[in-house]
Amino acid sequence: MTSAPPRAPQLADRRWLQVLIVALVCARVAGMAWSARTSTHGDYYASLPGTYVQTVNPTLWTSPDMTGAMGYLLNTYYHGPTQYLTLYPVAYLDSYAAIAALLLPLYLVVLAACFWFLWQALRCLAPGVSLGVPLFAATFLFFPLLQAFLQREFEIVVALGLAFALAQLVQGRPSVAAAALAYIAWFKYIPLLFAGYLDVRGWAKAVLVFALTSTAILIATHLVFGWSEFFNNNVPSHAAQVFNVLQAGFVPDAAGVLRGTGFCNGWFETETTLANVRHGLCALAATRPWLPPHAIYLLVCAGVAVTYLASHARLNRAATLGPADEAWRRALEFSIVTTVCACFFFAHYYYLVVLVIPYGVLMTRYLVTRQWSRLLAWGLSYVLVSAFVIPIGVISQLLGIDAWAWYFRGAWFLPGELLLMALLLIEYWALARRSPVAARPGAALS
């Protein structure tokens, strides 16, 4: 009988491919880190300095390199309290240049920790599956993550908190996850939706932990900063805009630039940073008068809610749900809520950094179940959302256009976000369908 051919060469070839992928990813991250030495300004910069700096460090309060910040010499806080509580010590530095220099290596460590927690969570979901290289590539080639790192955005810390919370959930510690989720919620307020998720799951202890952690954050905020100056800015108007869904329109301003009204308020045709479902629909409707963006948005939201709640109800009626399926259930639910928070409200492109979590969960799911056609759909969604795996300057030069502006004005992120949500709901619904429903009490035996 002929012996089987040795497998060592194949394994060696695979190792070389893995080494090549890791090297390319590291080169991309290193290039962004190099650019980050001089490209430092983003929304974090705009949110500075915060009223407390006026007394803590007057030198930073009047620093010449802070004059472009929205909060320069203003008694206000443009983001939620956890940003200012977490980064309170940076007020003792004397310029934004010093702050940016400090945050660059610090955020590299935060990103490494984020990857580690995400990897730990996915290893629990797929024991024995080799995830290191594909997850490393999917995480660190994700352009919203790279942009957030480049601009020193606090969403890097939010991504770490979410990855930690996911790891705790799949390992059966929802109360620990609740504390992390409460911390995250008081940065941009939208993640307060996670409190609803914990409540829907019936985790009373986790809801209590969320409430107690939130209370501690609010008390600390009152003692350190006071509350009033967190709302004397544009935060209330952004919150109100969430509920403005009954009408949409477009009018030119004095300069002839088309601007949205009603549902599309905040959109304008030369805007190139917002990347949420609402603004994507408005970008399409601006050149297609027959398209009702608000109606489509409401239909999409209703479809997401109905599919999620129907799947949730069926899973709650399941006769048995093994530990592995329960872990997957939590990961998929968490990914759906994360995607809603990131994509369905006001969101700049770098806010999408947190989508590394649902993309990681779905990629792992498809590798475990060998659903190659859905993995291709995953790849399409990933490319549409993370369009600049290749540097923007290279793409612009090759195509002879401003690739960044073309991407946003064409709302190319929109089909990627909707496809991601659809794939998550399909997996969640499929998990519910595979779970046998327990017989109702008193039902006749067949």
Side-chain angles (χ1 to χ4, degrees), residues 117-444:
F117 281 118
L118 181 56
W119 185 36
Q120 291 300 310
L122 299 181
R123 285 178 64 190
C124 292
L125 295 173
V129 177
S130 180
L131 295 172
V133 173
L135 182 63
F136 182 77
T139 300
F140 290 105
L141 288 179
F142 195 56
F143 195 73
L145 180 146
L146 295 175
Q147 188 195 29
F149 168 67
L150 179 79
Q151 297 177 178
R152 318 304 200 272
E153 305 294 3
F154 194 80
E155 275 74 11
I156 294 291
V157 182
V158 172
L160 170 60
L162 288 175
F164 173 80
L166 175 64
Q168 302 312 304
L169 278 178
V170 300
Q171 295 177 63
R173 295 189 287 267
S175 295
V176 180
L181 293 172
Y183 164 78
I184 291 164
W186 293 104
F187 167 60
K188 282 287 179 68
Y189 310 114
I190 288 172
L192 285 168
L193 289 174
F194 280 106
Y197 165 63
L198 297 172
D199 185 53
V200 167
R201 283 305 309 263
W203 292 328
K205 182 180 177 181
V207 173
L208 178 61
V209 169
F210 189 100
L212 291 175
T213 305
S214 295
T215 301
I217 291 171
L218 296 179
I219 291 173
T221 301
H222 175 70
L223 294 176
V224 177
F225 306 118
W227 257 108
S228 61
E229 289 166 353
F230 283 91
F231 299 103
N232 63 345
N233 47 46
N234 59 1
V235 171
S237 64
H238 283 316
Q241 179 63 11
V242 171
F243 303 100
N244 193 349
V245 294
L246 297 181
Q247 59 180 348
F250 302 92
V251 294
D253 63 11
V257 175
L258 197 63
R259 293 183 178 272
T261 61
F263 173 82
C264 292
N265 185 42
W267 177 91
F268 54 96
E269 61 183 327
T270 57
E271 199 283 321
T272 56
T273 64
L274 294 174
N276 51 72
V277 170
R278 289 176 70 126
H279 281 77
L281 290 170
C282 291
L284 296 179
T287 56
R288 299 165 180 83
W290 48 268
L291 189 71
H294 55 306
I296 296 173
Y297 178 80
L298 290 173
L299 286 173
V300 170
C301 290
V304 170
V306 168
T307 305
Y308 180 90
L309 293 174
S311 303
H312 167 82
R314 183 179 177 88
L315 284 164
N316 278 357
R317 297 195 307 270
T320 58
L321 199 64
D325 282 342
E326 174 61 27
W328 272 111
R329 176 186 180 180
R330 295 180 183 192
L332 290 168
E333 290 170 342
F334 188 85
S335 297
I336 291 168
V337 178
T338 298
T339 304
V340 168
C341 290
C343 298
F344 281 77
F345 301 98
F346 181 90
H348 291 287
Y349 183 69
Y350 69 86
Y351 288 17
L352 305 184
V353 57
V354 300
L355 296 185
V356 296
I357 292 171
Y359 275 121
V361 168
L362 276 180
M363 182 186 69
T364 302
R365 183 84 173 161
Y366 296 148
L367 291 176
V368 169
T369 57
R370 298 181 180 274
Q371 299 179 82
W372 308 124
S373 60
R374 291 185 186 178
L375 187 60
L376 287 174
W378 174 94
L380 175 60
S381 172
Y382 182 92
V383 169
L384 286 170
V385 174
S386 179
F388 304 106
V389 174
I390 300 172
I392 300 170
V394 174
I395 298 175
S396 297
Q397 189 171 10
L398 289 175
L399 299 180
I401 59 172
D402 182 345
W404 182 258
W406 174 82
Y407 174 76
F408 282 95
R409 291 170 188 169
W412 292 102
F413 54 85
L414 177 63
E417 292 173 355
L418 295 178
L419 180 55
L420 172 62
M421 179 57 76
L423 292 172
L424 288 167
L425 290 172
I426 288 169
E427 290 303 311
Y428 190 47
W429 175 251
L431 179 64
R433 294 291 297 174
R434 286 198 304 272
S435 304
V437 175
R440 289 175 296 177

Side-chain angles (χ1 to χ4, degrees), residues 83-144:
Q83 170 180 301
Y84 297 97
L85 287 170
T86 304
L87 296 178
Y88 186 96
V90 303
Y92 292 97
L93 300 173
D94 289 339
S95 67
Y96 179 72
I99 294 173
L102 173 66
L103 292 183
L104 182 61
L106 180 61
Y107 276 5
L108 278 175
V109 175
V110 171
L111 285 177
C114 176
F115 173 76
W116 190 86
F117 281 118
L118 181 56
W119 185 36
Q120 291 300 310
L122 299 181
R123 285 178 64 190
C124 292
L125 295 173
V129 177
S130 180
L131 295 172
V133 173
L135 182 63
F136 182 77
T139 300
F140 290 105
L141 288 179
F142 195 56
F143 195 73

